[in-house]
Amino acid sequence: MRPYRLRDGLSYCLIDGHPLFLDTAADRYFRLSGDTERAFISYIERPTPDAAKRLVDRNILAEGSPDPVSTGAVVPSAEASALEQPFPSASCGPRMAVEVLATVFRTRHRLGTQRLQSILDDLAAFRRHAATRTTTTDDDALVRHAQAFLQVRRLVPIETCCLPDSIAMVTFLARRHLQAHIVFGVTRDPFSAHCWAQSGGLVLNDTLGNTRSYAVIRVV
């Protein structure tokens, strides 16, 4: 049988045996209908040509990769949260305040005018570029700079929202050669979607309890 993979921009996770999908190319989450869901579950358990054809016809799978279908979401279990650690009493300087303000506004504008996949691709490229120089995942440095971002973010006159704020934080950290990722999570019944910034087992802009209530569907 020919090799197949999830098509570009698509990731999934299983919750109670049911797949949920994130399509960053179309900016949406979705579920499959009964027959197609059964075909997908059958395919990931034991690939067959008939199941593959049905999923290709539904634009779930594509030809061209020998890699098995996977969620594409691998992240360590969260063990600590920068948000739940004591914040420093010192205030951040005006230069950092302007940087955070500009980054948040720019990210919000891009999310309103561009596809999510394009924004995530640019973020990953910027993070790779930053990694060509000295890069660290030191928890102390991550906590310190994440808390600085969060302190200034409270002053930005725009409502908080997990997606633009997480993208803005990861961008802010990458400028300082600190590696972090965006973790997308979902619940099934009722459906809910969320995302947060995380580096290793350290959550940077959310609480442990909240992040643990979601199944991870993608890590960028």
Side-chain angles (χ1 to χ4, degrees), residues 48-114:
T48 65
D50 288 344
K53 182 180 185 304
R54 183 181 186 91
L55 295 167
V56 169
D57 291 343
R58 285 297 309 273
N59 200 28
I60 303 298
L61 298 183
E63 294 184 27
S65 171
D67 297 328
V69 175
S70 69
T71 62
V74 179
V75 67
S77 297
E79 300 173 348
S81 168
L83 189 63
E84 296 175 306
Q85 298 185 29
F87 274 56
S89 57
S91 61
C92 301
R95 180 175 297 181
M96 183 177 291
V98 171
E99 178 189 356
V100 172
L101 176 70
T103 304
V104 170
F105 272 96
R106 187 182 306 115
T107 302
R108 292 289 292 247
H109 174 73
R110 290 194 66 191
L111 285 168
T113 58
Q114 300 178 31

Side-chain angles (χ1 to χ4, degrees), residues 119-149:
I119 296 169
L120 296 178
D121 287 345
D122 287 348
L123 177 61
F126 178 68
R127 193 173 52 207
R128 285 194 301 270
H129 175 71
T132 61
R133 293 168 284 177
T134 303
T135 308
T136 181
T137 54
D138 176 71
D139 281 0
D140 289 340
L142 283 161
V143 168
R144 184 170 66 255
H145 286 92
Q147 289 183 340
F149 178 94

Side-chain angles (χ1 to χ4, degrees), residues 14-204:
L14 290 175
I15 302 179
D16 298 328
H18 297 277
L20 284 172
F21 291 83
L22 168 59
D23 186 354
T24 54
D27 298 351
R28 70 184 184 116
Y29 292 88
F30 67 92
R31 303 172 183 174
L32 299 176
S33 62
D35 289 344
T36 306
E37 180 179 277
R38 285 189 287 273
F40 183 79
I41 293 172
S42 173
Y43 182 83
I44 61 178
E45 292 177 347
R46 187 174 181 179
T48 65
D50 288 344
K53 182 180 185 304
R54 183 181 186 91
L55 295 167
V56 169
D57 291 343
R58 285 297 309 273
N59 200 28
I60 303 298
L61 298 183
E63 294 184 27
S65 171
D67 297 328
V69 175
S70 69
T71 62
V74 179
V75 67
S77 297
E79 300 173 348
S81 168
L83 189 63
E84 296 175 306
Q85 298 185 29
F87 274 56
S89 57
S91 61
C92 301
R95 180 175 297 181
M96 183 177 291
V98 171
E99 178 189 356
V100 172
L101 176 70
T103 304
V104 170
F105 272 96
R106 187 182 306 115
T107 302
R108 292 289 292 247
H109 174 73
R110 290 194 66 191
L111 285 168
T113 58
Q114 300 178 31
R115 291 290 188 186
L116 177 58
Q117 185 63 58
S118 175
I119 296 169
L120 296 178
D121 287 345
D122 287 348
L123 177 61
F126 178 68
R127 193 173 52 207
R128 285 194 301 270
H129 175 71
T132 61
R133 293 168 284 177
T134 303
T135 308
T136 181
T137 54
D138 176 71
D139 281 0
D140 289 340
L142 283 161
V143 168
R144 184 170 66 255
H145 286 92
Q147 289 183 340
F149 178 94
L150 292 169
Q151 281 185 312
V152 177
R153 177 62 183 90
R154 294 168 181 168
L155 305 177
V156 177
I158 188 170
E159 185 178 0
T160 58
C161 183
C162 63
L163 180 57
D165 286 351
S166 296
I167 293 174
M169 174 178 276
V170 172
T171 302
F172 174 86
L173 294 172
R175 292 193 189 109
R176 288 153 179 81
H177 314 302
L178 295 167
Q179 288 279 19
H181 294 83
I182 298 173
V183 181
F184 292 86
V186 290
T187 61
R188 181 175 180 271
D189 191 15
F191 173 78
S192 178
H194 184 47
C195 69
W196 59 91
Q198 184 171 332
S199 181
L202 178 65
V203 176
L204 300 171

